[in-house]
Amino acid sequence: MAFNPKITDMQVSDINDKTQLYQYVVTLQDKSKYRLFLSKNPEWNLQAANRLLNIPCPMCRKDYYCKCMDKHLDKLEAEFLSKIEAQA
């Protein structure tokens, strides 16, 4: 089964206008939460994603920090870009 992240909720966590760095907390369709680290200079670019430990990892089912999302940053970035464009 392929992992296709679908963002259901998106909240700004932190903004640094000087360095153009942003943090968003997003909730995916499976209720897992991730903190996205993005830069905007001038286009959005996803730097990293950290899973918040509200539920086990949807891929490896571990209940501690893992690096599973690193393989899917491009999918998560595409989903984020579609949501941010819809808000604009």
Side-chain angles (χ1 to χ4, degrees):
M1 182 172 90
F3 180 69
N4 293 316
K6 298 293 180 203
I7 296 174
T8 58
D9 185 42
M10 205 165 59
Q11 298 175 356
V12 177
S13 175
D14 191 23
I15 297 173
N16 187 336
D17 288 326
K18 183 178 179 183
T19 60
Q20 298 294 309
L21 294 176
Y22 300 84
Q23 290 182 30
Y24 280 83
V25 174
V26 298
T27 305
L28 299 184
Q29 191 173 18
D30 62 358
K31 305 294 186 226
S32 60
K33 293 187 178 202
Y34 290 85
R35 183 178 308 274
L36 304 182
F37 298 91
L38 301 120
S39 63
K40 185 178 181 185
N41 192 13
E43 309 255 334
W44 288 104
N45 185 17
L46 181 61
Q47 303 294 322
N50 289 340
R51 184 173 58 87
L52 303 177
L53 298 175
N54 63 325
I55 65 170
C57 174
M59 288 165 275
C60 68
R61 307 311 286 165
K62 293 179 181 172
D63 200 20
Y64 52 87
Y65 289 111
C66 61
K67 296 287 186 179
C68 293
M69 189 52 72
D70 290 349
K71 300 175 217 166
H72 302 284
L73 287 180
D74 54 339
K75 293 178 185 177
L76 196 56
E77 182 178 30
E79 178 69 13
F80 173 81
L81 291 175
S82 69
K83 292 292 184 182
I84 202 78
E85 289 173 4
Q87 287 183 355

